Amino acid sequence: MNDTIVAISTPVGRGAISIIRMSGQNCLNIAQNFFSSTKLDYKKIIPNMLYLGNFKFDDSRERCFMVFFKSPLSYTGEDIVEFQVHGGILLSQKILETLISSGARLASPGEFSERAFENGKISLDEAEAIIGEINAESESELKANLNLAQGKLKEKVEILQGNLALQLAQIEATLDYPEEDFEKTVKDEIFLSIKEIKKEIELFVKQSDSLKYINNGVNIAIVGLPNVGKSSLLNALIGQEKAIVTEIAGTTRDIVNESIFYNGIKFNFIDTAGIRESSDKVEKIGIEKSQKSIETADIVLCVFDGSKNLEEQDEKLLNKVKNYKHLIIVNKTDKKRILKPLKNEIEVSAVTEKGLEELKDSIYNMVIDKNINFGKIMVSNERQASALRESLKICNEISDNQNESMDVIAMLIKNLWNSLGKITGQCENESIIDLIFSKFCLGK
Ligand SMILES: Nc1nc2c(ncn2[C@@H]2O[C@H](COP(=O)(O)OP(=O)(O)OP(=O)(O)O)[C@@H](O)[C@H]2O)c(=O)[nH]1
Ligand SMILES: [Mg+2]
């Protein structure tokens, strides 16, 4: 039997309506714990009827609608409960958290449609058509905004491409008039222009990253040498004794993870084995996993023991994490400090819980751009986001190759033009089912 899944089905937005959708056998039981309406008797609930009522939190209640779709007459073919609440990420995330705390599981992107497909509610073709439908539902204000934003992204990208075409034409001209001075002037102009383009792309990437973290959560790896207090830190951060803590170096051997919500964002903490030279077969595998987690996590918490000096392994680790989004954490600050100050360090104590709020705040600020206006997000899917990241990489490549010949620079500019072109929507060869489903918005 499938478990009950839940997600925010509408795109993230301010001032509009959010729909939180829950699907699975248990959804009505879960809803019953929090939603009540004078007109509603759960034993006699009428499917497809919109009930106006209150969603109850620990200390407050929110006026919202609830609707029940009875299996098999629902989108997924299972029982579905949907809540329609005022927009804004905090409220909908809070409802989401509440439902998760009561036994629902956060759905992965496309999982609702995958269930619909499994239950014979939609064919694969239809699944694909839904993607189009998501963009075409014009009556919803939010969707309209999204479409508008999409149009704006296309417009913006076309302007950038136009600018690049101009640079290419300039390069062409230098080939006809190969005087040194002219070439230098053109080069200067090109690099100035690429700098501006890079700034714009960076902004888009930031926006889409924030959106990704809001939708999918943030994976945060806790790494460091044995005994620095990684597992203690995990336990303190999540508020439960999940990982084993002992004074023996090499206690944690496998990955331990647990999630919490912070300001509406899911933080998934991943505790790892302490990194050291080891001849123990099991520990070695654990350490390999730790190293891997540095590469795959969204953020790395690099933990040091404040009551000791740095060891050679610590230095190695510091060097490695430089290339990844990371925070430097000095733990055990309840003890006498021996460790010299590290750049941008955050002082914490897993025992007294000092600095933990600051740490969570720092993580939040790293993933959510505080200037972001969610109503104006233009990048809405991973395909666009990855094209933007690729474009950003090419911009950097161009800046790094300023001394190359005009031919090389022209080639890189063409690459950049092409990479931006992927955003405006050339179709790609994506036939695998997984890819189709992962193209859905979360909650569809
Ligand atoms: N005084 C003090 N002791 C701490 C703190 N954090 C952890 N410890 C102690 O340090 C020892 C190691 O803690 P763990 O959390 O197991 O360390 P770890 O980094 O997970 O170790 P491995 O799993 O072996 O890599 C335990 O005895 C903890 O009680 C702290 O903030 N202050
Ligand atoms: Mg441990």
Side-chain angles (χ1 to χ4, degrees):
M1 184 49 66
N2 270 338
D3 51 357
T4 298
I5 52 173
V6 64
I8 300 171
S9 285
T10 38
V12 177
R14 235 178 233 163
I17 288 203
S18 274
I19 296 179
I20 296 112
R21 175 185 277 173
M22 190 161 46
S23 175
Q25 210 189 11
N26 240 339
C27 64
L28 215 49
N29 287 335
I30 295 175
Q32 208 163 352
N33 296 329
F34 309 104
F35 182 85
S36 59
S37 160
T38 45
K39 299 236 170 68
L40 172 61
D41 174 353
Y42 274 92
K43 284 195 200 85
K44 296 183 199 153
I45 188 164
I46 305 165
N48 311 331
M49 162 124 159
L50 212 51
Y51 289 97
L52 177 64
N54 289 313
F55 193 101
K56 193 172 71 215
F57 300 104
D58 314 331
D59 46 1
S60 63
R61 51 189 55 222
E62 180 67 28
R63 201 106 180 107
C64 69
F65 285 109
M66 186 186 103
V67 58
F68 170 58
F69 301 100
K70 191 165 171 50
S71 168
L73 302 177
S74 75
Y75 179 66
T76 54
E78 304 173 328
D79 278 358
I80 283 188
V81 165
E82 281 186 8
F83 296 99
Q84 299 184 2
V85 303
H86 295 298
I89 53 167
L90 278 183
L91 176 64
S92 33
Q93 284 285 357
K94 213 169 162 203
I95 291 187
L96 185 72
E97 284 168 36
T98 310
L99 297 171
I100 288 172
S101 72
S102 189
R105 169 174 66 75
L106 186 65
S108 48
E111 199 172 0
F112 288 95
S113 299
E114 207 164 349
R115 287 192 176 186
F117 172 65
E118 278 167 12
N119 291 331
K121 299 292 291 186
I122 54 171
S123 67
L124 208 50
D125 280 6
E126 283 172 311
E128 274 203 303
I130 289 164
I131 300 167
E133 205 183 286
I134 291 172
N135 294 327
E137 276 174 16
S138 56
E139 67 277 15
S140 148
E141 187 195 347
L142 200 62
K143 296 280 165 53
N145 281 344
L146 189 70
N147 280 346
L148 203 67
Q150 288 280 292
K152 280 198 188 131
L153 175 66
K154 192 163 176 251
E155 234 169 67
K156 280 257 180 189
V157 167
E158 279 168 1
I159 291 171
L160 297 182
Q161 281 185 305
N163 187 331
L164 292 172
L166 210 66
Q167 310 302 331
L168 285 172
Q170 290 269 47
I171 295 179
E172 205 64 38
T174 61
L175 300 178
D176 294 341
Y177 303 96
E179 298 102 46
E180 287 252 319
D181 283 357
F182 184 48
E183 188 171 312
K184 182 163 184 324
T185 317
V186 170
K187 262 194 172 180
D188 286 349
E189 265 179 44
I190 289 175
F191 291 121
L192 208 65
S193 185
I194 294 291
K195 216 169 138 188
E196 291 301 313
I197 292 175
K198 188 180 150 189
K199 256 198 233 156
E200 299 228 23
I201 299 176
E202 262 169 352
L203 191 74
F204 286 141
V205 170
K206 255 194 198 161
Q207 282 189 348
S208 72
D209 278 352
S210 295
L211 195 63
K212 182 183 87 186
Y213 295 132
I214 288 166
N215 281 337
N216 303 342
V218 194
N219 286 323
I220 305 152
I222 308 176
V223 300
L225 268 56
N227 256 349
V228 294
K230 300 177 294 300
S231 302
S232 307
L233 198 58
L234 172 92
N235 292 344
L237 285 165
I238 62 171
Q240 54 168 300
E241 300 302 308
K242 172 112 182 181
I244 300 171
V245 169
T246 74
E247 68 293 346
I248 304 161
T251 303
T252 308
R253 295 180 152 222
D254 210 345
I255 301 282
V256 180
N257 60 337
E258 186 64 55
S259 304
I260 57 161
F261 279 90
Y262 186 74
N263 286 351
I265 308 294
K266 187 176 165 204
F267 285 0
N268 183 33
F269 291 107
I270 304 154
D271 179 26
T272 65
I275 295 169
R276 64 173 170 182
E277 296 295 333
S278 167
S279 52
D280 181 293
K281 195 172 167 188
V282 180
E283 190 179 1
K284 248 178 147 170
I285 297 172
I287 293 170
E288 271 164 31
K289 284 193 188 176
S290 307
Q291 298 281 13
K292 192 93 201 136
S293 74
I294 297 177
E295 290 149 31
T296 54
D298 299 310
I299 292 184
V300 180
L301 302 187
C302 201
V303 187
F304 301 92
D305 183 340
S307 66
K308 281 184 175 170
N309 277 316
L310 283 193
E311 293 177 22
E312 197 189 325
Q313 280 283 3
D314 284 311
E315 306 271 10
K316 271 192 195 162
L317 189 61
L318 267 173
N319 229 345
K320 176 160 183 176
V321 294
K322 258 192 215 144
N323 303 316
Y324 302 90
K325 238 188 211 172
H326 70 278
L327 288 169
I328 303 289
I329 314 297
V330 176
N331 188 32
K332 306 198 188 181
T333 53
D334 51 294
K335 288 166 97 175
K336 186 174 176 319
R337 172 94 185 218
I338 306 281
L339 182 70
K340 290 201 192 84
L342 298 170
K343 208 171 159 208
N344 295 329
E345 65 170 40
I346 301 175
E347 286 196 316
V348 302
S349 163
V351 169
T352 64
E353 303 202 342
K354 179 192 135 186
L356 296 190
E357 279 308 303
E358 187 195 342
L359 170 54
K360 289 182 204 170
D361 231 33
S362 304
I363 296 172
Y364 183 86
N365 292 332
M366 266 175 114
V367 293
I368 304 296
D369 182 359
K370 59 177 176 306
N371 298 319
I372 206 162
N373 178 345
F374 288 102
K376 285 205 176 142
I377 285 187
M378 295 187 196
V379 185
S380 63
N381 66 41
E382 185 47 36
R383 186 181 56 77
Q384 294 170 341
S386 83
L388 282 166
R389 282 194 288 269
E390 183 189 307
S391 303
L392 193 59
K393 239 191 198 159
I394 302 173
C395 285
N396 287 330
E397 221 176 307
I398 297 175
S399 311
D400 291 346
N401 282 290
Q402 301 206 4
N403 296 326
E404 284 295 335
S405 70
M406 279 302 203
D407 282 353
V408 173
I409 292 166
M411 185 198 71
L412 288 171
I413 291 179
K414 274 183 199 149
N415 287 350
L416 181 55
W417 195 93
N418 273 329
S419 161
L420 286 170
K422 288 181 193 164
I423 296 164
T424 43
Q426 270 88 329
C427 52
E428 284 157 69
N429 288 330
E430 294 170 346
S431 57
I432 319 155
I433 291 176
D434 272 1
L435 258 178
I436 291 171
F437 285 118
S438 65
K439 273 209 292 196
F440 282 105
C441 311
L442 190 84
K444 244 293 170 186

